Amino acid sequence: MKFENILAFAKQLDENDPLKHFRDQFYIPIINGKECIYFTGNSLGLQPKTTQDYVLNELEDWANFGVEGHFHARKPWMPYHEIFPTQLSKIIGALPEEIVVMNQLTVNLHLLMVSFYRPTKQRYKIICETKAFPSDQYAMESQVKYHGFNYEEAVIEVSARAGEYAIRTEDILATIQEHGDSTALVLFGGVNYYTGQFFDIQKITEAAHAVGAIAGFDLAHAAGNVELQLHNWNADFACWCSYKYLNSGPGGVSGIYINQKHIADTSIPRFAGWWGHTKDTRFKMEKGFEPIPTAEGWQLSNAPILSMAAHKASLDIFDDAGMDNLIEKGKLLSDYLLFIIDEINNDLKEKLIQVITPRDAKEKGCQVSMLMLEKGAAVFEALKQHGVLADWREPNVIRVAPVPLYNTFNDVFTFGQIVKAILER
Ligand SMILES: *Cc1c(COP(=O)(O)O)cnc(C)c1O
């Protein structure tokens, strides 16, 4: 599509947008008396208007039924988590039995590493991206220490080349090759939180398997954002949070994926709890853990229903909208944003914005990260004053994520006008 940097064009795109009605299903925060331009759905997705009802229903059922709500609530609490895998299977591209919703993200990353990072003296390394999200870095650091290794020796970070921002897939594959004999786990983000780079999960998985290592992915910035085919790509495990693109509320429940080939393998060690125990005999309350032979077998605790109700409200919207449609609109939004940024740069005497997100549709999601060569702080301040919520990362990166469920092309156009005005001053 040939884009134009004019209001009428942006409005036309909004008019023709088959998903335009979904915006009305969300609360848009008000700043200075009007709806803000919310570009931080990659950090905390907005609240669906239906969430209150979903959560209130559970509070009512709790009031009405007490403990009996486990069986008699409108959505009984005992099997509550079972309503998610079918919906999530379309979002992450996996079989329902490979998925379970439980706990929170970093907790799940640790639990998955307990099962899938089992270093030996020969094979103990973890290969990951440089500048992984800090919680993931701490998880890896503490895991390697827990097994008696140190970070410098055991964690191999793949970096971008000098002068580049995205990490080349060929460099990732070469690093896996190079450390092949000593690598236990290859652990990457799906989409890097800082650069917005969408990694080639399939190629990384193939390379990991070729050297006899496990391939795991943290999909916090990928789930609900980009096209995922975890099962077909043969990834071993993954985890994600539900409060970014998945709009399920602050600190919301996390999801995990474990490849079918592992789910019934009882030789894989795990930290167990009663909710992972075979359902028929769970309430016999007897000794001897027998895991459910699906991803559910990794559950520990009974489900946090209030948080799960919020998750359900959001996933029902994803079902209505359709992941394919969302991905298509997300691409168009971020392409339009890239076009607008290029226009701004072209109109300046010298380029002041360096886009550090890859431009290839296969290597990015909704997010565009702008390295501000000058006036970064002034631009960010002006955005705030004009009611645009974006995200600032030291030293000078502004992350902007227009998301397909509630952002408009007009949002992107208006954002461009504000940035342009400051940079041209
Ligand atoms: C957002 C995010 C987290 C946050 O972890 P929580 O356990 O949910 O607080 C962790 N890792 C990545 C890659 C993230 O993007």
Side-chain angles (χ1 to χ4, degrees), residues 164-400:
E164 297 184 6
Y165 298 94
I167 305 173
R168 294 193 194 190
T169 305
E170 60 190 280
D171 292 349
I172 299 171
L173 305 186
T175 307
I176 295 171
Q177 272 278 303
E178 186 192 337
H179 297 273
D181 293 341
S182 53
T183 297
L185 172 65
V186 177
L187 181 60
F188 267 73
V191 172
N192 180 271
Y193 82 99
Y194 186 72
T195 61
Q197 180 179 9
F198 178 21
F199 293 109
D200 192 330
I201 294 177
Q202 183 170 25
K203 287 217 177 98
I204 293 172
T205 300
E206 272 167 18
H209 290 171
V211 299
I214 290 273
F217 297 89
D218 185 331
L219 304 178
H221 279 263
N225 176 20
V226 291
E227 189 192 340
L228 296 167
Q229 291 295 339
L230 291 190
H231 177 82
N232 290 338
W233 294 340
N234 207 15
D236 291 289
F237 72 85
C239 48
W240 56 90
C241 56
S242 64
Y243 51 82
K244 292 174 179 166
Y245 293 93
L246 294 179
N247 308 324
S248 303
V253 279
S254 162
I256 67 162
Y257 151 93
I258 298 175
N259 189 284
Q260 191 180 31
K261 67 187 173 213
H262 301 304
I263 51 180
D265 182 350
T266 51
S267 74
I268 297 175
R270 74 184 85 186
F271 287 168
W274 71 323
W275 233 245
H277 187 88
T278 309
K279 291 172 199 173
D280 306 344
T281 56
R282 184 190 288 152
F283 285 93
K284 290 204 170 133
M285 309 295 230
E286 281 169 353
K287 260 201 290 214
F289 176 66
E290 288 170 31
I292 301 167
T294 70
E296 284 182 79
W298 268 260
Q299 294 174 105
L300 300 183
S301 297
N302 76 95
I305 298 299
L306 299 181
S307 178
M308 287 194 165
H311 195 28
K312 178 65 179 154
S314 175
L315 291 186
D316 284 351
I317 296 175
F318 273 80
D319 257 1
D320 288 347
M323 200 57 218
D324 291 349
N325 301 329
L326 290 168
I327 289 168
E328 196 179 321
K329 179 177 170 189
K331 279 182 181 159
L332 209 54
L333 273 171
S334 74
D335 283 345
Y336 189 50
L337 176 56
L338 286 169
F339 165 80
I340 297 274
I341 295 170
D342 289 344
E343 289 276 295
I344 295 171
N345 271 332
N346 290 341
D347 289 347
L348 293 166
K349 277 192 235 68
E350 53 185 332
K351 178 166 113 171
L352 296 183
I353 306 171
Q354 168 91 47
V355 172
I356 62 172
T357 307
R359 283 167 184 266
D360 187 326
K362 288 202 282 303
E363 288 187 273
K364 69 168 168 58
C366 299
Q367 176 182 328
V368 173
S369 301
M370 312 190 305
L371 179 71
M372 303 304 294
L373 302 174
E374 276 177 42
K375 300 190 190 170
V379 167
F380 192 67
E381 194 47 45
L383 288 172
K384 263 203 300 207
Q385 275 169 13
H386 286 84
V388 180
L389 282 178
D391 172 273
W392 176 262
R393 291 287 127 173
E394 293 297 335
N396 54 354
V397 167
I398 298 176
R399 298 187 305 165
V400 186

Side-chain angles (χ1 to χ4, degrees), residues 1-16 336 339 409-410 413:
M1 182 181 301
K2 201 178 162 326
F3 291 128
E4 292 177 52
N5 188 12
I6 49 176
L7 179 61
F9 179 82
K11 283 190 162 163
Q12 192 60 49
L13 282 179
D14 284 327
E15 197 48 47
N16 297 341
Y336 189 50
F339 165 80
F409 294 90
N410 195 354
F413 170 79

